[in-house]
Amino acid sequence: MTTMESLIGLVNRIQRACTVLGDYGGGDNTFSSLWEALPSVAVVGGQSSGKSSVLESIVGRDFLPRGSGIVTRRPLVLQLHKTDEGSQEYAEFLHMPKRRFTDFGAVRHEIQEETERITGRTKQISPVPIHLSIYSPNVVNLTLIDLPGLTKVAVEGQSETIVQDIETMVRSYVEKPNSIILAISPANQDIATSDAIKLAREVDPSGERTFGVLTKLDLMDKGTNALDVLEGRSYRLQYPWVGIVNRSQADINKNVDMIVARRKEREYFATSPDYGHLASKMGSEYLAKLLSQHLESVIRARIPSITSLINKSIDELESEMDHLGRPIALDAGAQLYTVLEVCRAFERIFKEHLDGGRPGGDRIYGVFDNQLPAALRKLPFDRHLSLQNVKRVVSEADGYQPHLIAPEQGYRRLIEGALNYFRGPAEASVDAVHFVLKELVRKSIAETQELKRFPTLQADIAAAGNEALERFRDEGKKTVVRLVDMESSYLTVEFFRKLPQEVDKVGNPGGNPGGNPQATAAVDRYGEGHFRRIGSNVSSYIGMVSDTLKNTIPKAVVYCQVREAKQSLLSRFYTQLGKKEAKQLSQMLDEDPALMERRQQCAKRLELYKAARDEIDSVSWTR
């Protein structure tokens, strides 16, 4: 195979793979970009201009539907693949990838059926293309796109917008900078009225991408010819015009072989008094070679940008494959290793949340710095140490015999009752931190890229993490309640020793007998002032305990919950993993079907890009 054939064949294969993996595999934007970067030939012409005959002449097979009005109602992306001499010709449709057509009459029928599958048995059009590949030793490597014929009037059964709809569809193909325009015009009509030339002039005013084809030369009135057009005097293009002689309707009706038709075409030009001097540059065979040569030059010019796009795409796909994860091994040891690696990735992210590498851990500090102090301030100590309640508690503690000097039992009961209020904020702090930790587990699972492919393992880790947090919460509650109970079980005696002593008599602290009994009066140990002093003393002690608990409760919570979560969140889960059999491990690694599909698509894309890069590198760029 020549360098030219290798280049164009490579482009054909890339375009076909782009279509399979792009259009039919999720519409990948990168593949759309690669398709745009690859050149193809868009066949444009008015109705009955001879487009179908030109395509069939290039292919050498009679395979396109025929009839009056709009026959081509969907774009036909036709990829020609040159095969070795003597090999069998066959065709494949992209929508029927497992079936080879060797009967080209069946190809025509399938084009009709596939068209009607989208448009129905109407005269409407659709922009959804039909993809057809033909493999034959009698073709050159080309990608041709047959488009609906341009028309000026809507006929019965068509929408009023059909004229504009067709033009819009055709423009969407020919406006692309890498599209080569094959403008078909019949020789028996004035070139000035050619729909194809008019559109080509608008989208390609410099004519750099336009090839003019003049059909039906044999149907011109006697005594006239198309030399003014073919020799560029009527309308000049950058590339020479090519004349085509289509099969006659009689030949079509008789199923005249295309090889015979090509021979007749060559004979027509060779023996024509008008076109004999141009015979070497006329005919469908010459047109196919001309387009193929031009495609080669375009491809050569595009190779650097195509290679750059392919390399960029390979890097992106490699990165995505790393995120999606490689296929899982089948043996139990490798599966266990995979589970452990995924779990470690989750734990790493979870710890980053706690340590500040990711947001969320600061909410735990917010519990200690805001919620706990606020809850302590709201405790109902004012009501508990009200004058009325102090009297009641002290009186009940005294029993039938009132206290003599200091109501110690009353003090203790007041303090114990007040300390019980600390249980609520202590346990609430544990619950608040538990809620934050649960939320961080959820966020860490969602942020662990390796876990996205394993929904079952996600659920197992979430269950294991939450189960561990429940244990840590229980231990945290026990510990903070113990802190409160410890304050109740032994009061700080030094605090009360430092309190000012009551006076027995005015001006005689401690009841000094040396005082003047005439100048003093007995202190009423059951008056309001006495009970107020008791309430004030208890309040001071409770304030001291509150300050202590405000510091020790966070320590206990962090020790029992946060520290344990960092060190042993999945410890039991790991122990259970070691006992699981291969089948159970396989179930844990049951991937999300959508991600499996995505990985398969990425792998196919990656394989295509690497193969394309290797083929481009292997092609010799010398002519």
Side-chain angles (χ1 to χ4, degrees):
M1 184 178 290
T2 66
T3 301
M4 178 180 70
E5 290 170 338
S6 298
L7 280 172
I8 300 173
L10 169 61
V11 169
N12 273 6
R13 290 192 294 277
I14 295 176
Q15 284 177 324
R16 181 170 177 79
C18 282
T19 304
V20 173
L21 298 178
D23 293 347
Y24 287 81
D28 189 281
N29 287 334
T30 333
F31 271 69
S32 298
S33 300
L34 183 53
W35 175 273
E36 298 281 342
L38 300 173
S40 56
V41 180
V43 185
V44 183
Q47 287 186 30
S48 302
S49 61
K51 287 193 302 90
S52 296
S53 294
V54 171
L55 287 172
E56 288 180 334
S57 295
I58 291 174
V59 174
R61 280 289 186 173
D62 188 355
F63 69 98
L64 292 173
R66 293 181 179 276
S68 59
I70 302 178
V71 178
T72 304
R73 292 187 283 120
R74 288 175 60 183
L76 175 67
V77 180
L78 176 62
Q79 289 189 310
L80 305 182
H81 303 265
K82 184 174 181 59
T83 57
D84 295 334
E85 286 296 330
S87 60
Q88 185 182 29
E89 293 178 290
Y90 67 92
E92 285 183 347
F93 286 95
L94 190 61
H95 63 274
M96 301 175 69
K98 296 181 180 180
R99 180 178 174 185
R100 286 189 176 185
F101 290 78
T102 55
D103 179 358
F104 283 82
V107 172
R108 181 191 307 110
H109 178 73
E110 181 57 33
I111 292 174
Q112 291 173 325
E113 290 293 316
E114 179 62 12
T115 297
E116 291 175 356
R117 189 179 66 83
I118 297 295
T119 64
R121 296 184 180 275
T122 66
K123 296 181 179 179
Q124 302 307 313
I125 64 169
S126 169
V128 180
I130 299 172
H131 294 267
L132 173 64
S133 292
I134 293 178
Y135 299 82
S136 169
N138 302 317
V139 300
V140 294
N141 289 308
L142 275 178
T143 295
L144 300 159
I145 304 173
D146 186 22
L147 298 165
L150 297 165
T151 185
K152 294 182 174 64
V153 179
V155 300
E156 185 178 354
Q158 296 176 344
S159 68
E160 295 180 358
T161 62
I162 189 73
V163 175
Q164 185 59 46
D165 292 343
I166 291 176
E167 183 175 337
T168 300
M169 183 195 302
V170 173
R171 279 182 181 273
S172 70
Y173 284 90
V174 299
E175 284 178 340
K176 297 173 182 177
N178 289 320
S179 175
I180 297 167
I181 304 169
L182 192 62
I184 310 293
S185 302
N188 56 358
Q189 294 180 12
D190 189 347
I191 196 66
T193 64
S194 169
D195 296 315
I197 292 298
K198 176 177 177 294
L199 182 60
R201 183 188 301 166
E202 292 177 8
V203 299
D204 180 33
S206 64
E208 294 178 351
R209 300 186 287 115
T210 302
F211 284 79
V213 176
L214 210 58
T215 62
K216 303 184 180 182
L217 291 170
D218 54 331
L219 300 182
M220 297 184 69
D221 293 337
K222 288 185 177 182
T224 63
N225 59 50
L227 286 176
D228 283 348
V229 176
L230 293 175
E231 293 179 346
R233 290 188 293 273
S234 293
Y235 185 79
R236 179 173 293 278
L237 294 171
Q238 286 202 19
Y239 306 102
W241 282 80
V242 178
I244 298 288
V245 174
N246 301 330
R247 286 184 300 165
S248 67
Q249 189 60 48
D251 288 341
I252 294 172
N253 294 338
K254 294 177 182 177
N255 292 321
V256 172
D257 185 81
M258 291 298 299
I259 303 300
V260 174
R262 283 181 178 178
R263 188 179 68 248
K264 287 184 175 181
E265 184 184 43
R266 288 195 299 271
E267 291 174 354
Y268 173 85
F269 285 112
T271 59
S272 170
D274 293 322
Y275 310 119
H277 66 292
L278 298 174
S280 62
K281 296 182 179 180
M282 295 288 120
S284 56
E285 289 181 291
Y286 173 77
L287 175 63
K289 291 178 182 178
L290 179 66
L291 291 174
S292 188
Q293 289 171 354
H294 181 70
L295 269 178
E296 182 201 8
S297 65
V298 172
I299 292 169
R300 287 182 184 276
R302 299 284 187 273
I303 282 297
S305 61
I306 293 172
T307 302
S308 176
L309 180 57
I310 287 176
N311 288 331
K312 178 175 177 289
S313 301
I314 287 175
D315 291 341
E316 292 174 352
L317 286 169
E318 290 277 14
S319 176
E320 184 170 2
M321 285 293 288
D322 289 338
H323 281 300
L324 293 174
R326 303 294 173 171
I328 305 163
L330 298 178
D331 63 286
Q335 290 177 340
L336 178 60
Y337 178 80
T338 299
V339 172
L340 292 175
E341 284 294 297
V342 172
C343 290
R344 291 188 187 103
F346 157 76
E347 285 189 308
R348 183 174 61 253
I349 291 175
F350 179 70
K351 290 175 183 177
E352 287 176 1
H353 278 293
L354 291 176
D355 294 334
R358 296 172 185 256
D362 54 310
R363 292 171 58 195
I364 294 176
Y365 176 72
V367 172
F368 303 146
D369 195 48
N370 299 313
Q371 296 180 37
L372 177 60
L376 294 175
R377 286 193 298 270
K378 292 179 181 178
L379 293 176
F381 293 133
D382 289 345
R383 185 174 71 249
H384 181 70
L385 297 177
S386 65
L387 180 61
Q388 181 180 2
N389 195 57
V390 170
K391 280 184 178 181
R392 181 185 64 77
V393 172
V394 171
S395 297
E396 290 176 356
D398 282 346
Y400 73 92
Q401 184 171 328
H403 61 273
L404 300 178
I405 299 176
E408 181 163 328
Q409 290 303 318
Y411 266 105
R412 289 187 179 276
R413 289 195 181 182
L414 283 170
I415 291 172
E416 288 173 359
L419 290 177
N420 282 333
Y421 287 117
F422 286 115
R423 287 173 175 262
E427 292 183 331
S429 297
V430 172
D431 288 334
V433 170
H434 175 76
F435 177 81
V436 173
L437 291 173
K438 280 187 68 175
E439 181 64 16
L440 292 183
V441 166
R442 186 194 66 78
K443 287 184 66 176
S444 299
I445 289 175
E447 294 171 9
T448 304
Q449 190 67 33
E450 296 86 342
L451 260 178
K452 293 184 183 299
R453 55 192 288 205
F454 306 123
T456 301
L457 184 55
Q458 284 185 41
D460 289 344
I461 290 178
N466 289 331
E467 180 186 354
L469 293 180
E470 291 289 346
R471 295 197 309 272
F472 303 153
R473 176 170 68 172
D474 292 343
E475 187 61 33
K477 283 192 175 182
K478 290 178 183 177
T479 302
V480 295
V481 169
R482 283 195 189 102
L483 290 176
V484 176
D485 290 345
M486 284 190 291
E487 293 292 345
S488 300
S489 63
Y490 186 80
L491 305 184
T492 305
V493 179
E494 188 67 21
F495 176 86
F496 291 98
R497 287 176 178 169
K498 292 180 180 180
L499 288 176
Q501 298 295 310
E502 281 186 348
V503 292
D504 292 327
K505 300 182 184 301
V506 178
N508 186 15
N512 185 352
N516 184 352
Q518 303 298 326
T520 62
V523 174
D524 185 358
R525 296 185 184 277
Y526 300 96
E528 288 186 1
H530 177 64
F531 289 114
R532 284 196 179 93
R533 279 193 297 276
I534 293 174
S536 176
N537 292 339
V538 172
S539 178
S540 297
Y541 184 78
I542 294 302
M544 181 194 72
V545 173
S546 179
D547 290 339
T548 300
L549 291 177
K550 189 167 63 175
N551 293 322
T552 56
I553 288 174
K555 295 178 186 294
V557 169
V558 169
Y559 184 83
C560 295
Q561 291 176 267
V562 180
R563 175 178 169 273
E564 285 299 308
K566 283 180 62 177
Q567 294 182 351
S568 57
L569 182 67
L570 297 181
S571 292
R572 290 195 181 183
F573 182 65
Y574 289 144
T575 302
Q576 294 167 357
L577 276 180
K579 302 176 183 177
K580 291 188 180 294
E581 298 178 354
K583 183 178 179 180
Q584 293 171 308
L585 291 171
S586 180
Q587 290 172 346
M588 295 177 72
L589 296 175
D590 184 18
E591 292 187 86
D592 182 346
L595 282 175
M596 291 177 67
E597 176 66 19
R598 181 62 185 165
R599 187 194 299 110
Q600 289 174 357
Q601 291 297 329
C602 279
K604 289 179 182 177
R605 288 170 166 80
L606 194 55
E607 182 181 1
L608 163 68
Y609 278 125
K610 287 183 175 179
R613 182 178 61 184
D614 292 343
E615 286 200 62
I616 289 174
D617 291 342
S618 68
V619 172
S620 170
W621 302 118
T622 59
R623 291 184 182 273

